[in-house]
Amino acid sequence: MTYARRIDLRSDTVTQPDETMRVAMSGAEVGDDVLDHDPTMRRLEEEVADRLGVAAALWVPSGTMGNLIATTIHLRRGDRFLAPRGAHVLEAELGSTAWLAGGMPQPLDWANGPGRISADDVRAYASAAAPYYSLTTRLLCLENTHNFAGGTVTPPDEHAQLVAAARDAGMLVHLDGARLWNASVALGVPPAALTVGVDSVQVCLSKGLGAPVGSLVGGSSSFVTEARRVRKMLGGGIRQGGVLAATGLVALERMDDLAADHANAAALAAGLAELGWEVRPPETNIVIAAVPDTTAALESLARLGVLATALPGAIRFVTHRDAPAHDIAEVLRRITAARSPAPAA
């Protein structure tokens, strides 16, 4: 059987801007952001800074650019930076922190569970007493939620321990919070509770919140002043950016909607487990299912009109606002039907 309607669970970036966002774009107050600071962009940056508990924030076209701006500011060429194994900054940003920011990456194993590293491992890379020819470990890059670990969450107490370990070792801390909103909703704490002590943070609006484009990088006022300069250097200066920032303001009002995505992910994982799939219960909106052959699994799902992505030895499904509960039920129905024997003639 073939299905005319595809259900796209490849990522929460596939969402389409709805009518409310499109109307907000059409009516946005705009100006030249490079010259005068677009007024709608300014409103968005101030709102995000307030929610994150930082002094200032800067809109950037993508999370990758936000992370690169932060690492460019924090690192000197040849400095080592630490990050959890499988972190987005290590695996999905084309090595830009090494190539452009000049950092030497050091992955840390998940000592405290999927996607979660230990303070002891951070301390193990302290370089204060090392010989002059040793690497200088200058930066700890955290990720919350951890994408490739399955949207796993680092709670505030563990975050505080990691930041303290970095501080004790003389390191700076950058938080890749592309899905920090998901972590906030899952834990029932404000986003600012998950940024305490960091030198910079990046958050995304074009994932679960449904904006068509945009992330923000935040920190101290002096950090954001330098970030604006580096953004321009990287080609990220936007002129009438208020057209895009308006969608971000709408997106921020939808943060509580992420709870539905989390519930849908839990329902999908439970249904797959009942069908014999090896699935770990999700903490947020990402479901990781182990499979022996990722290519065959993706092809089989595609025949059912279900789109997902491959990870090493697994398939990743991401629930989002454009795939409501009835779509998740339909995915499970299609997979179940494909497993059922054909009726006798």
Side-chain angles (χ1 to χ4, degrees):
M1 179 180 294
T2 58
Y3 296 89
R5 187 173 71 87
R6 298 191 315 172
I7 300 175
D8 194 343
L9 301 180
R10 290 174 297 171
S11 177
D12 44 11
T13 61
V14 303
T15 55
Q16 299 286 314
D18 62 12
E19 185 63 21
T20 301
M21 282 190 173
R22 293 175 187 272
V23 169
M25 293 173 75
S26 68
E29 181 185 3
V30 298
D32 190 317
D33 192 59
V34 174
L35 298 179
D36 303 316
H37 205 161
D38 176 283
T40 306
M41 192 73 83
R42 185 191 297 273
R43 281 179 53 213
L44 174 63
E45 291 168 348
E46 291 174 350
E47 175 69 20
V48 169
D50 183 63
R51 291 188 183 223
L52 296 179
V54 296
L58 176 72
W59 186 95
V60 292
S62 71
T64 294
M65 182 181 285
N67 288 337
L68 178 58
I69 287 171
T71 54
T72 297
I73 292 172
H74 294 323
L75 293 170
R76 300 178 306 189
R77 290 196 174 275
D79 285 344
R80 177 163 50 196
F81 70 96
L82 312 179
R85 177 170 53 83
H88 197 275
V89 72
L90 298 177
E91 300 292 341
E93 299 184 5
L94 289 89
S96 57
T97 296
W99 178 37
L100 298 173
M104 176 72 75
Q106 177 60 58
L108 300 183
D109 285 335
W110 301 344
N112 287 351
R116 291 157 58 187
I117 60 176
S118 74
D120 286 342
D121 286 345
V122 172
R123 292 190 186 94
Y125 283 92
S127 53
Y132 77 91
Y133 50 79
S134 301
L135 285 171
T136 298
T137 307
R138 188 171 301 277
L139 178 66
L140 171 64
C141 288
L142 301 174
E143 184 176 344
N144 198 10
T145 68
H146 192 300
N147 180 358
F148 295 131
T152 53
V153 173
T154 299
D157 57 336
E158 284 191 25
H159 169 86
Q161 292 168 17
L162 293 168
V163 170
R167 287 283 176 264
D168 291 345
M171 299 179 206
L172 301 168
V173 181
H174 172 64
L175 172 60
D176 177 359
R179 292 183 174 87
L180 191 72
W181 318 116
N182 293 87
S184 169
V185 169
L187 292 168
V189 301
L194 302 173
T195 68
V196 175
V198 303
D199 296 282
S200 57
V201 54
Q202 180 269 127
V203 289
C204 194
L205 302 174
S206 63
K207 293 185 171 65
L209 299 185
V213 62
S215 291
L216 289 100
V217 61
S220 67
S221 296
S222 60
F223 169 83
V224 169
T225 296
E226 180 65 7
R228 188 177 298 275
R229 192 183 74 87
V230 177
R231 183 185 70 173
K232 179 66 173 174
M233 186 185 303
L234 296 173
I238 303 297
R239 299 298 179 175
Q240 285 70 42
V243 173
L244 300 173
T247 68
L249 288 167
V250 173
L252 287 174
E253 298 307 313
R254 298 173 169 180
M255 204 173 81
D256 290 344
D257 294 353
L258 295 174
D261 298 342
H262 299 175
N264 288 337
L268 176 61
L272 291 173
E274 288 180 6
L275 293 171
W277 292 54
E278 183 182 340
V279 185
R280 186 175 68 247
E283 297 180 17
T284 52
N285 68 321
I286 300 176
V287 176
I288 304 293
V291 294
D293 186 332
T294 57
T295 300
L298 286 179
E299 290 175 350
S300 177
L301 288 168
R303 287 192 292 270
L304 301 177
V306 177
L307 303 184
T309 55
L311 297 178
I315 297 297
R316 186 189 77 161
F317 304 88
V318 184
T319 56
H320 53 81
R321 62 184 305 109
D322 285 5
H326 63 79
D327 277 354
I328 302 306
E330 175 65 12
V331 167
L332 293 170
R333 189 192 70 78
R334 292 180 187 182
I335 294 173
T336 301
R339 288 164 48 94
S340 300

